[in-house]
């Protein structure tokens, strides 16, 4: 084991350096603003997701404040942990130097992981808990030591508190163990002990969901209506082919589990792969949900390739070198290692007639927030003392509300009011709203709610996403409707 540590450290260092360059560029992503905002309201659940990301956000704020660079260290460290675990899995199943090297390299060249391990979202931690769970499953299948079964259960339970999709992995592992060692696993009392421990960990979140009428089901319904319904029958499969070489390695690893006698003890992991794949395909999951399965099969694929090229060092190292060189060209598409002007040239993006540049949605979602907050700040500080005391800052969506919290901190702005997503949970504030500054709310709504209103500014940004362009800022007075009175009724619209 020790002889592999310098190699694993070197691979981890490469990933860290790339992220240290890219993590600090552009700005906060819409989802990052939400996740930092909910960290101010620690609870056992939220409208859109479980509580783990809020806890990490709280830790980030404690250590770094509202720091873009500091916040993004956490998903980056999760990504590095995934790389280390992938190498460790390769070692556990009998891999040597080449298998360990290739396992780590596969994490480095899989371009979607750079995006996943950049943004402060549950995705990076979800992939970490999947990989950790597979690591403990490998250890359990290899040693029959029940402590690894308990560790597996705890990993799955904490992963459930991060992202509910890990429930698919839990069910798939149980089915695969029943298929491969039914009598043995059913009679194992530690399986039931593990179940009790795991259920105790997730119970507070389940209670929260019950108390709030299972908002996660409403969220899934809206997600299905807005996004998943547009996914074609074979899109899930075709999207896996966007990175063809890495997917081929995954398939090699899958076949190796079923047909290599040396690793036949891990057959339940192969069955788990098949169940997860078809479950996610049937549920029309986003393709990147399935990426959480890739690391363990990178390890198995690397093990098999090492065996195939055991006496062909030149071919092996040439293949690895070519893959690294080719893949690194695409890194700027997934993580902002280039300044935005350089990136625009790199992608040969031409301006639209209105001067805007159409970036990928993730990159576009990192621009425009600072400008919005600056304009709201200028309006707020133009108010009299009395007007400030009764003022509400009303945001249209969670990105705008999150920007007013995270970026508005340095302007000493009051906390915004927003009925979108988890922001609805925190209510309409304590002020009367006789004076209201709105951000992103259209005139059709403004004129229904206020007697007196003035358009202060329509915000444009050449790099921002469509949703955050042509954003109106109104100064409104004399409300026709008391926001506190109608607030409970807005619960049915939190995901609109």
């Amino acid at each position: 084991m020790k002889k592999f540590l310098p190699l694993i450290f070197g691979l981890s260092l490469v990933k860290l350096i790339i992220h240290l360059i890219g993590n600090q560029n552009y700005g906060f992503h819409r989802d990052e603003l939400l996740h930092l905002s909910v960290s101010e309201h620690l609870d056992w659940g939220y409208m859109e997701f479980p509580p783990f990301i809020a806890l990490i956000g709280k830790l980030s704020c404690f250590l770094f404040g509202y720091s873009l660079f500091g916040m993004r260290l956490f998903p980056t460290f999760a990504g590095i942990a995934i790389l280390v675990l992938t190498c460790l899995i390769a070692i556990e199943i009998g891999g040597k130097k080449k298998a360990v090297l290739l396992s780590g390299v596969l994490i480095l060249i899989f371009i979607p992981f750079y995006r996943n391990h950049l943004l402060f979202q549950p995705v990076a931690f979800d992939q970490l808990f999947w990989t950790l769970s597979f690591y403990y499953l490998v250890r359990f299948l290899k040693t029959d030591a029940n402590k690894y079964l308990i560790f597996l259960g705890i990993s799955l339970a904490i992963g459930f508190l991060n992202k509910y999709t890990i429930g698919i992995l839990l069910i798939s592992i149980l089915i695969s163990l029943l298929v491969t060692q039914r009598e043995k696993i059913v009679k194992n009392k530690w399986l039931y002990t593990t179940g009790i421990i795991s259920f105790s960990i997730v119970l507070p979140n389940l209670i929260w969901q019950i108390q709030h009428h299972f908002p996660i089901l409403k969220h899934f319904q809206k997600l299905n209506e807005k996004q998943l319904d547009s996914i074609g029958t074979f899109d899930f499969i075709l999207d896996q082919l966007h990175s063809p070489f890495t997917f081929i390695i995954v398939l090699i690893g899958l076949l190796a589990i079923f047909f290599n006698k040396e690793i036949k003890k891990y057959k339940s992991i192969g069955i788990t792969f098949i169940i997860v794949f078809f479950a996610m395909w049937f549920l029309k999951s986003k393709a990147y949900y399935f990426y959480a399965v890739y690391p363990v099969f990178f390890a198995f694929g690397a093990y098999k390739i090492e065996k195939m090229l055991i006496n062909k060092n030149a071919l092996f190292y040439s293949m690895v070198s070519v893959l690294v060189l080719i893949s690194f060209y695409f890194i700027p598409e997934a993580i902002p290692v280039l300044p935005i002007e350089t990136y625009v040239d790199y992608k040969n993006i031409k301006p639209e007639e209105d001067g805007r540049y159409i970036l990928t949605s993730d990159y576009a979602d990192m621009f425009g927030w600072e400008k919005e907050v600056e304009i709201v700040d200028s309006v707020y500080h133009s108010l009299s003392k009395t007007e400030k005391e009764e003022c509400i800052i009303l945001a249209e969506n969670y990105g705008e509300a999150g920007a007013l919290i995270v970026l508005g901190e340095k302007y000493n702005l009051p906390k915004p009011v927003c009925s979108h997503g988890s922001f609805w949970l925190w209510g309409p504030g304590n002020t009367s709203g006789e004076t209201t500054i709105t951000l992103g709310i259209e005139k059709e709504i403004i004129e229904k709610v206020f007697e007196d209103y003035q358009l202060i500014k329509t915000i444009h940004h050449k790099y921002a996403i469509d949703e955050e362009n042509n954003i109106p800022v109104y100064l409104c007075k004399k409300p026709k409707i008391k926001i506190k009175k109608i607030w409970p009724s807005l619960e049915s619209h939190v995901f609109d």
Side-chain angles (χ1 to χ4, degrees):
M1 176 63 181
K2 290 184 179 179
K3 63 183 179 180
F4 297 118
L5 291 180
L7 177 58
I8 297 173
F9 177 79
L11 293 166
S12 301
L13 185 61
V14 172
K15 184 170 178 64
L16 177 61
I17 290 172
I18 293 171
H19 278 278
L20 290 180
I21 296 170
N23 286 9
Q24 59 190 319
N25 292 330
Y26 304 178
F28 289 95
H29 186 279
R30 174 190 306 274
D31 292 347
E32 293 175 324
L33 295 169
L34 170 63
H35 298 140
L36 285 180
S37 297
V38 300
S39 71
E40 294 194 353
H41 303 267
L42 290 183
D43 205 342
W44 278 106
Y46 300 95
M47 303 297 278
E48 307 95 334
F49 39 74
F52 184 83
I53 192 69
L55 182 62
I56 300 300
K58 194 71 172 181
L59 178 60
S60 173
C61 291
F62 174 76
L63 294 175
F64 305 108
Y66 284 140
S67 162
L68 179 71
F69 181 77
M71 170 197 66
R72 287 179 174 172
L73 283 177
F74 290 90
T76 293
F77 288 150
I80 291 172
I82 290 168
L83 186 152
V84 172
L85 285 168
T86 304
C87 293
L88 292 179
I89 291 171
I91 295 170
E92 289 294 336
I93 63 178
K96 306 301 181 185
K97 181 180 177 182
K98 290 178 186 176
V100 174
L101 173 63
L102 183 55
S103 296
V105 166
L106 287 168
I107 299 293
L108 287 178
I109 68 171
F110 189 53
I111 300 303
F113 275 173
Y114 285 101
R115 186 266 186 194
N116 297 155
H117 306 157
L118 161 76
L119 298 178
F120 187 72
Q121 296 176 326
V123 177
F125 307 105
D126 182 53
Q127 293 169 352
L128 172 59
F129 286 118
W130 279 64
T131 307
L132 183 62
S133 297
F134 275 120
Y135 171 74
Y136 286 132
L137 181 57
V138 166
R139 293 289 291 155
F140 174 68
L141 295 172
K142 180 180 180 180
T143 66
D144 276 333
N146 288 313
K147 65 179 180 180
Y148 294 115
L149 190 62
I150 294 176
F151 294 157
L152 169 60
I154 293 173
S155 176
L156 289 167
I158 299 176
F160 185 85
L161 294 179
N162 173 69
K163 195 171 177 66
Y164 295 121
T165 51
I166 205 170
I168 297 174
L169 177 61
L170 167 63
I171 295 170
S172 302
I173 288 175
L174 285 174
I175 294 173
S176 68
L177 289 175
L178 288 172
V179 169
T180 57
Q181 43 183 288
R182 182 180 180 280
E183 185 174 348
K184 180 180 179 182
I185 199 70
V186 168
K187 292 181 178 179
N188 188 340
K189 65 179 181 180
W190 289 103
L191 175 68
Y192 306 101
T193 302
T194 299
I196 293 171
I197 294 171
S198 301
F199 184 74
S200 299
I201 293 172
V202 304
L203 182 59
N205 176 251
L206 297 178
I207 293 173
W208 186 95
Q209 285 287 340
I210 293 170
Q211 291 174 336
H212 292 81
H213 315 295
F214 288 98
I216 193 61
L217 297 180
K218 300 175 186 176
H219 182 51
F220 284 159
Q221 181 183 356
K222 284 294 182 180
L223 181 64
N224 188 65
E225 292 172 0
K226 292 181 179 179
Q227 299 181 33
L228 302 185
D229 273 353
S230 62
I231 296 177
T233 303
F234 297 102
D235 285 356
F236 179 77
I237 298 174
L238 295 175
D239 286 345
Q240 307 303 321
L241 302 178
H242 287 172
S243 301
F245 179 80
T246 46
F247 189 62
I248 289 171
I249 297 292
V250 167
L251 294 180
I252 290 174
L254 177 65
L255 293 173
I257 288 176
F258 287 112
F259 296 107
N260 272 49
K261 293 181 179 180
E262 300 91 339
I263 53 175
K264 65 179 181 180
K265 64 169 70 74
Y266 305 111
K267 186 183 295 185
S268 59
I269 295 178
I271 296 173
T272 298
F273 175 99
I274 294 170
I275 297 172
V276 170
F277 181 86
F278 282 101
M280 287 190 172
W281 184 17
F282 175 77
L283 294 171
K284 293 187 175 181
S285 298
K286 296 179 181 179
Y288 70 83
Y289 290 0
F290 192 63
Y291 295 162
V293 174
Y294 279 24
V296 65
F297 286 91
F298 283 167
F300 278 98
Y303 168 86
K304 178 61 177 177
I305 289 175
E306 180 181 55
K307 295 291 186 182
M308 293 166 58
L309 302 180
I310 191 168
N311 294 318
K312 300 178 181 179
N313 291 343
L315 177 59
F316 175 84
Y317 290 110
S318 297
M319 176 188 71
V320 171
S321 300
V322 170
L323 288 172
V324 170
L325 290 173
I326 293 175
S327 298
F328 274 27
Y329 173 80
F330 298 100
I331 285 178
E333 296 185 8
I335 181 172
V337 292
L338 301 177
I340 186 58
E341 295 81 6
T342 307
Y343 174 78
V344 168
D345 291 338
Y346 157 80
K347 292 293 292 181
N348 195 29
I349 301 173
K350 302 300 180 183
E352 303 290 299
E353 291 183 3
D354 60 359
R356 289 186 58 223
Y357 292 83
I358 307 302
L359 308 179
T360 64
S361 59
D362 279 332
Y363 282 176
D365 246 339
M366 297 178 188
F367 290 95
W369 307 113
E370 188 77 43
K371 189 173 182 180
E372 291 180 6
V373 175
E374 287 175 356
I375 292 172
V376 170
D377 173 69
S378 67
V379 178
Y380 178 76
H381 285 99
S382 70
L383 302 177
S384 67
K385 181 179 179 182
T386 302
E387 288 174 323
K388 287 180 180 178
E389 290 174 350
E390 62 184 19
C391 180
I392 284 177
I393 301 178
L394 188 62
E396 194 271 338
N397 62 53
Y398 70 73
E400 294 157 1
L404 290 166
I405 288 177
V406 175
L407 302 176
E409 183 186 42
K410 63 184 177 184
Y411 296 99
N412 199 29
L413 287 172
K415 300 300 182 185
V417 171
C418 180
S419 63
H420 190 207
S422 291
F423 280 91
W424 176 84
L425 294 170
W426 309 319
N430 299 318
T431 54
S432 66
E434 288 298 317
T435 299
T436 300
I437 301 170
T438 68
L439 175 62
I441 299 177
E442 299 299 330
K443 182 180 179 181
E444 292 78 8
I445 298 175
I446 296 291
E447 59 189 8
K448 291 179 182 179
V449 180
F450 299 96
E451 292 183 12
D452 184 4
Y453 55 88
Q454 176 187 1
L455 177 63
I456 302 299
K457 181 83 173 179
T458 300
I459 304 174
H460 306 276
H461 195 287
K462 65 180 181 178
Y463 296 128
I465 200 167
D466 284 346
E467 189 176 349
E468 299 304 325
N469 259 292
N470 301 313
I471 296 298
V473 176
Y474 283 92
L475 177 59
C476 308
K477 298 181 180 180
K478 299 180 181 180
K480 302 175 186 177
I481 302 171
K482 298 296 184 183
I483 191 169
K484 291 184 180 180
K485 185 175 181 179
I486 67 167
W487 196 258
S489 67
L490 298 178
E491 181 180 6
S492 60
H493 301 285
V494 295
F495 297 123
D496 289 351

